[in-house]
Amino acid sequence: PNGIRIWQPSLNAGTHHTDRYANTELTVRRGQAFTITLYFNRPQQAGESLAFVTEIGPAPSESHRTKAVFPLSQRGPSGWSAVQGPSESGYTNFTISSPANAVIGRYNLILQVTSGNKIFSRFLGQFVLLFNPWCPGDDVYMANENERQEYVLNENGIIFVGNAKYIEARGWYYGQFQDHILNICLTMLDLSLYYRQDPAIDVSRRGDPKYVAICTLSNIIRKWQGSFNSHENPSRWDGSMVILQKWRQDNYKPVQYGQCWVFAGVMCTVLRCLGIPTRLVSNFNSAHDVDRNLSIDKYYDSSGKSLNIGKDSTWDYHVWNESWFVRPDLGTSYNGWQVLDATPQEQSRGLFQCGPASVIAIKEGDVDLDYDTLFVYTEVNADCNRWIVYKDGSKKRVYCDTEIIGRFISTKAVDSNSRVDITYNYKYPEGSSEERRVYRKALTKIFGSNITEGHTESPAERSSETIRNPGISGKLKLAEPPVFGKDINLILILNNLSFDHKTVKVDVSASTILYTRRTVTEILKATTSVDLGSKQGKHIRLKIPYSYYGKYLTTDKRIQVTALCGVMNMHGPKLLVEKTITLEDTNIIIKIPRRVVVNKAVTLEISYANPLPEPVNRCVMLVTLMNQQVKIHLAQLAPRERSKIYFEFTPRRTGPLQLQVDFSCDKFSHVKGFVTIAVAPA
């Protein structure tokens, strides 16, 4: 027989939810039937029987489940089957079904004709098989259709950044269905260390979403700290597509420089593309506990300046992924959302990767479970210790109100751009009896059952008991919202907690910092003394002029202020008060018409501003729509001037469309705005 294949991509794509992939080859999901049509130049003869063969990987074998031979109308041990449908003038339909746990990736399909003791094989072509969240038998099955639309099919995302007091939304374009992305994702699996070690075994394990997620965690973006002069500043990125396509063009050499939200955005694109439901999660006040002792140690000099020593740190925010799949390795109670952290922080199993860690295991303090549950538990639960390092090298712990680690854990809502707080998924309410129970359980699993009594309280209680109160309390407050380009006005509120008169020496230090709270440059140092009468409170005003900080800010636009307060003539502990300030950018305002219709030109008004008390030059605006970017050179702006441009484009498809704007000049860069436009049918 002369088997001329006719795939039916459009017919299959609709039912398999693969109609948006840009690639033209047949792309289907596992555990669900698909149809092909074959043309035979003669009728089937008596004694002839047909079978199909599927093969995947470099060494297909039935024992590894990377090869299946299945005769018509028989479901063999492989779980693959084929049924012959109606024929018409030589054209015959066949319906092929794959098992719900089949290996994912690119398959060869072969037709086998047996006549007596002769077997003829005919290569029919290739197809791609993906995970199937619509199939109840699949490990990634998700019951809710709205959630499947969001976590598998939505190409537009929101990343929450900023700090716990000032959460900002930033647009991100995943683009998992666009040109070359599916091929890049499949290539990525073949570039993993596991594939290089044993290709046949590696491919045979790709039916397991947990394994595919671990392989994907292999870094594609290598460097993520340091100066960005010779490479891409990560603040420039607005989506995953450009990064993945650059990676492909550079022959899969790591793209230099990403930061946590970039890693997470790319990871989300890859996993959604392969069919694993995935979302981005932001954790505010995120702990990075290198020595795994559930406490973060931070160091300051005797004037209150933050020192970059010690490996522990607390980041203003950290972004990771959650993917949805079952955990047969842990037990059904740990099914559901699994944390995957693609930012290369700590080595796990010899590689820079973290996860998958079950969110339920994190909430229940099961820190001994695979993979890296302790690391993620600490990111949301660690305690904070502050130390003063004196000139002779000695260290002394200072009294400090413990900041709550792991706050406002956030993700994008299903069907909208609003923020959903999912902190309760990760931990019980602070101070509740459940929280104390889980904390004790976690400590026992880390340190064994002989932990000291002081270790058994919850973080907030522990830190306040272990070091004596210095008799004063303090707080730094902003007098008004801090705006980039304006002076920052702060108030240090000091209260005398006792009836004794006190004189308090206050050392103030302010430094520009990164979002990981790593100090960049000290910009202010001042000392003053304050008299506090019995039970008296006083307000001390502090000002950080723009002229002090303007030149030293990074694109993170962050300043950390510390006030080290010591009671004179008293050798007791000092009080450390600190505040991280994120300067607010002057908004980019995007105005869109009431109704936007597909294939009709639309004009937007985009307004932008110079918030500084000095003129700015070399103004450039990048406008990004899906994967297309337009660079617009703009005139210089006078001090505090706002200007606007009109931007025309024609949307080519209906549904939500994310437009991103990025404004830079010689004095600052990457001020961002975005809008999601609902494109209506004509």
Side-chain angles (χ1 to χ4, degrees):
N2 180 17
I4 297 174
R5 64 178 177 78
I6 300 174
W7 301 120
Q8 301 197 345
S10 54
L11 173 75
N12 290 302
T15 55
H16 283 256
H17 307 93
T18 56
D19 44 341
R20 290 174 56 192
Y21 285 93
N23 62 317
T24 51
E25 68 190 319
L26 177 66
T27 303
V28 291
R29 298 188 187 275
R30 65 186 192 175
Q32 187 176 337
F34 63 93
T35 304
I36 61 165
T37 304
L38 297 182
Y39 173 73
F40 294 98
N41 59 359
R42 63 168 178 76
Q44 195 173 334
Q45 291 170 358
E48 281 185 335
S49 62
L50 301 183
F52 287 95
V53 182
T54 52
E55 295 181 340
I56 188 168
S61 85
E62 289 177 273
S63 61
H64 282 152
R65 297 185 62 254
T66 49
K67 177 180 180 178
V69 181
F70 44 104
L72 279 181
S73 308
Q74 289 180 28
R75 185 176 283 277
S78 67
W80 288 83
S81 63
V83 177
Q84 186 169 330
S87 299
E88 193 180 323
S89 50
Y91 290 95
T92 305
N93 284 344
F94 294 90
T95 300
I96 296 174
S97 299
S98 60
N101 62 352
V103 166
I104 60 114
R106 182 173 282 108
Y107 279 83
N108 290 336
L109 183 64
I110 296 147
L111 177 68
Q112 207 168 271
V113 183
T114 306
S115 178
N117 58 1
K118 289 197 180 113
I119 298 176
F120 304 95
S121 289
R122 174 75 189 249
F123 172 69
L124 298 175
Q126 293 187 313
F127 65 95
V128 174
L129 191 68
L130 300 173
F131 290 105
N132 192 353
W134 285 264
C135 170
D138 197 308
D139 284 352
V140 303
Y141 173 64
M142 190 169 239
N144 182 305
E145 175 61 16
N146 289 346
E147 290 182 0
R148 293 188 295 241
Q149 291 288 331
E150 180 69 51
Y151 300 134
V152 184
L153 301 183
N154 195 352
E155 291 190 276
N156 300 315
I158 304 275
I159 303 178
F160 293 102
V161 298
N163 65 36
K165 298 258 168 51
Y166 178 63
I167 296 175
E168 301 171 78
R170 182 178 280 177
W172 189 267
Y173 182 62
Y174 298 122
Q176 65 266 32
F177 302 121
Q178 300 306 307
D179 274 347
H180 308 299
I181 298 298
L182 178 57
N183 277 339
I184 292 170
C185 296
L186 295 174
T187 302
M188 188 184 296
L189 295 178
D190 289 347
L191 291 173
S192 83
L193 192 63
Y194 304 105
Y195 183 83
R196 293 204 295 273
Q197 286 166 349
D198 190 334
I201 293 291
D202 173 73
V203 173
S204 74
R205 296 182 66 188
R206 292 185 192 170
D208 176 5
K210 175 173 84 280
Y211 183 75
V212 169
I214 289 170
C215 293
T216 307
L217 279 169
S218 304
N219 311 321
I220 62 158
I221 311 171
R222 189 178 287 152
K223 289 263 179 73
W224 68 284
Q225 276 187 333
S227 101
F228 306 123
N229 299 345
S230 58
H231 296 288
E232 303 285 1
N233 179 334
S235 298
R236 203 203 116 223
W237 307 117
D238 290 311
S240 313
M241 265 192 72
V242 184
I243 298 170
L244 287 166
Q245 288 177 339
K246 182 174 164 51
W247 187 57
R248 174 174 162 265
Q249 283 155 9
D250 295 350
N251 207 14
Y252 305 106
K253 288 202 297 288
V255 177
Q256 292 277 12
Y257 292 106
Q259 280 176 335
C260 67
W261 73 90
V262 180
F263 292 110
V266 172
M267 181 86 176
C268 188
T269 296
V270 174
L271 295 178
R272 284 188 184 181
C273 181
L274 297 175
I276 301 175
T278 303
R279 64 186 184 182
L280 260 64
V281 170
S282 299
N283 176 39
F284 291 90
N285 293 346
S286 189
H288 180 157
D289 176 27
V290 173
D291 48 16
R292 310 288 167 103
N293 65 349
L294 274 193
S295 91
I296 299 297
D297 296 297
K298 292 179 73 178
Y299 300 91
Y300 303 80
D301 70 12
S302 53
S303 64
K305 179 188 172 187
S306 178
L307 300 170
N308 287 335
I309 61 172
K311 290 187 173 170
D312 288 355
S313 55
T314 306
W315 300 3
D316 276 351
Y317 65 92
H318 182 38
V319 185
W320 57 66
N321 300 94
E322 284 179 358
S323 287
W324 180 270
F325 48 83
V326 301
R327 292 298 299 268
D329 56 323
L330 302 182
T332 52
S333 56
Y334 299 103
N335 291 350
W337 290 116
Q338 313 291 326
V339 172
L340 297 158
D341 190 342
T343 304
Q345 304 173 76
E346 288 298 300
Q347 285 204 348
S348 165
R349 307 180 293 290
L351 299 169
F352 277 108
Q353 59 189 42
C354 173
S358 158
V359 173
I360 291 165
I362 295 158
K363 182 170 183 173
E364 292 302 330
D366 295 322
V367 294
D368 52 338
L369 295 182
D370 287 343
Y371 296 86
D372 311 299
T373 308
L374 171 58
F375 189 78
V376 186
Y377 178 87
T378 309
E379 285 183 306
V380 298
N381 284 302
D383 195 4
C384 281
N385 289 315
R386 275 29 175 220
W387 301 82
I388 302 296
V389 181
Y390 293 98
K391 287 196 171 65
D392 64 2
S394 64
K395 296 177 185 151
K396 193 167 187 182
R397 194 152 75 165
V398 288
Y399 179 81
C400 181
D401 291 336
T402 302
E403 77 181 306
I404 306 278
I405 293 290
R407 301 189 68 188
F408 303 110
I409 302 175
S410 305
T411 192
K412 175 189 174 301
V414 172
D415 287 343
S416 88
N417 284 348
S418 51
R419 183 182 77 86
V420 177
D421 194 299
I422 55 169
T423 310
Y424 187 71
N425 288 4
Y426 281 83
K427 52 188 183 177
Y428 290 99
E430 298 287 345
S432 66
S433 59
E434 295 103 329
E435 184 226 12
R436 282 194 288 279
R437 170 182 65 77
V438 167
Y439 193 77
R440 276 196 290 272
K441 178 179 175 185
L443 281 170
T444 306
K445 290 194 173 201
I446 300 163
F447 299 112
S449 54
N450 58 346
I451 48 172
T452 58
E453 192 49 44
H455 247 312
T456 59
E457 303 305 326
S458 74
E461 294 170 321
R462 235 176 53 218
S463 58
S464 53
E465 280 184 7
T466 44
I467 187 152
R468 228 163 21 88
N469 189 319
I472 51 174
S473 70
K475 194 168 191 178
L476 277 164
K477 288 190 87 163
L478 285 158
E480 71 265 316
V483 177
F484 175 55
K486 295 193 171 161
D487 298 348
I488 301 165
N489 291 298
L490 290 148
I491 301 162
L492 172 64
I493 303 163
L494 280 182
N495 286 300
N496 184 354
L497 302 176
S498 70
F499 294 105
D500 308 331
H501 172 272
K502 289 187 176 74
T503 302
V504 181
K505 180 183 178 225
V506 182
D507 285 298
V508 176
S509 168
S511 297
T512 55
I513 57 167
L514 301 174
Y515 82 103
T516 56
R517 300 202 190 153
R518 202 172 167 74
T519 307
V520 178
T521 311
E522 189 173 42
I523 53 172
L524 177 99
K525 202 172 182 163
T527 304
T528 185
S529 63
V530 183
D531 284 321
L532 292 176
S534 167
K535 290 280 186 179
Q536 188 185 17
K538 276 196 176 166
H539 288 201
I540 300 109
R541 291 194 165 271
L542 302 169
K543 179 186 261 191
I544 308 174
Y546 166 72
S547 58
Y548 281 33
Y549 72 76
K551 284 202 271 301
Y552 303 108
L553 279 185
T554 69
T555 45
D556 289 350
K557 295 196 176 75
R558 280 171 163 68
I559 292 169
Q560 188 168 50
V561 183
T562 59
L564 189 60
C565 311
V567 178
M568 306 276 252
N569 308 318
M570 208 178 104
H571 292 298
K574 292 185 175 183
L575 171 74
L576 180 76
V577 187
E578 71 179 346
K579 188 168 192 68
T580 303
I581 299 164
T582 304
L583 293 163
E584 297 177 18
D585 278 321
T586 306
N587 282 353
I588 285 179
I589 300 162
I590 307 167
K591 288 187 181 165
I592 52 175
R594 293 260 300 272
R595 187 168 155 79
V596 176
V597 176
V598 71
N599 295 326
K600 266 201 180 156
V602 57
T603 302
L604 309 181
E605 180 188 296
I606 304 171
S607 91
Y608 55 99
N610 170 19
L612 306 183
E614 55 189 337
V616 296
N617 296 299
R618 297 205 298 278
C619 300
V620 174
M621 183 178 286
L622 295 172
V623 181
T624 309
L625 264 169
M626 291 174 62
N627 56 338
Q628 294 181 317
Q629 196 169 66
V630 179
K631 190 174 191 176
I632 304 162
H633 292 275
L634 305 163
Q636 74 164 57
L637 289 174
R640 314 250 191 248
E641 182 189 356
R642 185 172 270 282
S643 186
K644 63 185 171 190
I645 61 160
Y646 293 94
F647 180 79
E648 185 182 281
F649 74 98
T650 305
R652 293 295 177 205
R653 76 166 201 226
T654 58
L657 180 65
Q658 198 177 72
L659 178 130
Q660 297 170 341
V661 176
D662 178 306
F663 176 63
S664 296
C665 63
D666 60 344
K667 301 277 193 326
F668 55 86
S669 57
H670 306 301
V671 175
K672 297 195 180 273
F674 76 96
V675 66
T676 304
I677 303 163
V679 182

